[in-house]
Amino acid sequence: RVVRPLKAGAMDTIDIKFDQDITVAPTVTAASTTAISGTLSAVTKAAGSNSNFYVIYTADAAADYTGTIPISVTGAENADGLAQLAKSYSVAMDNLAPQLISFSTGTRVGKGGFVTFTAVFNEKLGTAPKITTTAGGVDPKVDLVTGVSMTLSADGLTATYGYEYKDTGNDAVH
């Protein structure tokens, strides 16, 4: 099972296990409201078993819902025609954009000095963010960068950019 919340378009396999052979497969349904969307595959019997089944939930790519989605399993029967107790599951959805947790750098850098900007996010980024530096209207001779990609860490949670202060004027510190 996926343990982290799903993003839109992601899938989660829901395993359904009974303690005895089942002759009538269960019915699996997901809560359906305008805020919650996605699809469930057909109930499938696990290979070589009469007591294990699964469905695959696919999060709706257009969904903007963040929270849990209730899943119900009902209607399974054993060989004696006895219905199994209903079960409830939930799938977590996360359609929020990654959030910046912290942004750090040195406080001041002198001419010819080097500083590293570090941005830390709450979840993995798919692409490196871009950085733009400004001189705050103080000095047009400062070597600025505009829309330059930061370096993304292997885990996708941290982005860094090394900046060298190249002032072509006579200012000493910014």
Side-chain angles (χ1 to χ4, degrees), residues 37-111:
S37 58
T39 58
L40 285 168
S41 69
V43 175
T44 304
K45 188 185 330 180
S49 174
N50 289 321
S51 60
N52 296 334
F53 299 82
Y54 67 91
V55 295
I56 299 173
Y57 175 81
T58 303
D60 186 342
D64 61 358
Y65 176 76
T66 295
T68 59
I69 298 169
I71 307 286
S72 296
V73 179
T74 59
E77 293 182 13
N78 66 13
D80 297 324
L82 298 175
Q84 301 298 302
L85 294 175
K87 301 275 185 184
S88 296
Y89 299 86
S90 65
V91 175
M93 284 289 298
D94 174 11
N95 282 310
L96 296 175
Q99 303 293 310
L100 181 65
I101 294 173
S102 67
F103 187 83
S104 60
T105 186
T107 55
R108 295 173 65 94
V109 62
K111 186 175 181 179

